[in-house]
Amino acid sequence: MADTSIEWTDATWNPVAGCTIMSAGCTNCYAMRMAARLEAMGVEKYAGLTRKTGGRAKWTGAISLDQKALTIPSTWKAPRNVFVNSMSDLFHPDVPVDFIRKIWGAMAGTRRHTYQILTKRPDRMAEILSGAGFAILPNVWLGTSVEDGRVLYRLDELRQVPAAVRFVSYEPLIGSVHGGKLDGIQWAIVGGESGPGARYMDPIWIDEIFDQCTRAGAAFFFKQWGGKNKKAAGRAYRGRTWDDMPEVRL
Ligand code: SF4
């Protein structure tokens, strides 16, 4: 039973919360809105992470490290796919390397789970994970988010990351990623933006990604069309759903 509505995972795990805007894909950041709501509900971990500006919640830049959360995956007995840090970016510059090392320890100690980590900072991910104390874990998939052609360089940075599985999330897809190459990347997720202020996704941009996957032999996962009513828009592409996952080489 999934604990999250995110189609490509079963559960979220948030040892870190808080972030700062990085690029156009962050404009309508779900985590930023959700952190404000959680703070209003009195959840201590989210206190001071956002403030209201022009009627909208904005990150303050504060980062919260949740030591107690480190043991949560060990309490899940059945294997799960776990999205790490849906409420932050694990490779934000203010997340200490020592804390990332603790997260690696928690994942190494619970190999029954598959961990999915997404960052908009794959340069820092590559630098840290190439250093001492970080083994390649077969149960950890490492990915980057790319929202349009302006940040395609993140794919090259991701290719520098030592990983069992590399993946890209093209969500929210707000522009063409024509020319992107998926060599060395095993999985691509595609999704349109949803919620307030959702931006348009052109079907041609999806075709471009579908072709990238075919050329590189990467698995293709179509998450959603998005828009104001994402349920009504659905998730069929070319007349079917696409839920492919990467093959794991152990
Ligand atoms: S990097 Fe991710 S968590 Fe951070 S502001 Fe951007 S979308 Fe939100």
Side-chain angles (χ1 to χ4, degrees):
M1 178 74 190
D3 291 350
T4 168
S5 60
I6 301 171
E7 288 79 355
W8 47 264
T9 197
D10 301 320
T12 56
W13 174 45
N14 283 294
V16 181
C19 198
T20 44
I21 296 269
M22 180 74 185
S23 60
C26 302
T27 303
N28 295 318
C29 173
Y30 170 82
M32 198 158 59
R33 285 202 308 269
M34 186 50 78
R37 260 199 256 170
L38 290 166
E39 180 176 12
M41 286 161 64
V43 184
E44 196 189 330
K45 172 169 158 178
Y46 297 95
L49 299 188
T50 60
R51 63 177 140 72
K52 278 264 157 65
T53 312
R56 293 183 54 163
K58 290 269 165 66
W59 293 123
T60 57
I63 303 286
S64 148
L65 307 178
D66 186 351
Q67 303 280 347
K68 282 194 229 128
L70 290 170
T71 56
I72 291 174
S74 65
T75 66
W76 297 331
K77 297 302 169 211
R80 292 174 171 201
N81 290 331
V82 182
F83 177 22
V84 182
N85 279 341
S86 61
M87 296 299 292
S88 179
D89 183 334
L90 183 59
F91 293 93
H92 184 282
D94 292 342
V95 180
V97 176
D98 275 352
F99 196 71
I100 298 173
R101 205 172 275 122
K102 285 183 185 172
I103 292 172
W104 242 249
M107 297 190 298
T110 49
R111 302 222 182 184
R112 61 187 174 278
H113 303 313
T114 297
Y115 293 93
Q116 301 154 313
I117 303 178
L118 259 182
T119 184
K120 282 193 171 68
R121 293 147 173 110
D123 51 344
R124 186 168 190 243
M125 182 191 251
E127 190 191 320
I128 290 173
L129 299 185
S130 302
F134 289 96
I136 296 180
L137 298 175
N139 61 323
V140 176
W141 301 359
L142 298 169
T144 192
S145 303
V146 171
E147 63 267 26
D148 62 26
R150 289 174 291 183
V151 291
L152 270 172
Y153 60 85
R154 289 182 191 151
L155 296 180
D156 290 327
E157 293 172 349
L158 179 67
R159 274 184 273 271
Q160 303 304 312
V161 175
V165 171
R166 296 187 197 92
F167 69 104
V168 54
S169 171
Y170 288 119
E171 185 190 10
L173 187 64
I174 55 171
S176 167
V177 289
H178 179 75
K181 289 196 175 53
L182 297 182
D183 312 53
I185 294 171
Q186 288 80 35
W187 189 33
I189 301 163
V190 184
E193 193 163 54
S194 56
R199 290 163 285 180
Y200 173 72
M201 176 172 68
D202 191 322
I204 291 170
W205 305 338
I206 310 171
D207 295 341
E208 291 168 352
I209 295 167
F210 189 84
D211 291 346
Q212 289 172 18
C213 287
T214 306
R215 274 198 296 273
F220 176 81
F221 191 107
F222 185 66
K223 181 170 175 273
Q224 62 179 35
W225 284 98
K228 286 215 177 80
N229 186 347
K230 73 168 191 169
K231 220 171 177 184
R235 51 188 303 261
Y237 167 69
R238 299 190 182 190
R240 54 164 279 200
T241 50
W242 300 82
D243 289 336
D244 295 351
M245 304 288 264
E247 274 179 39
V248 183
R249 299 158 289 141
L250 296 176

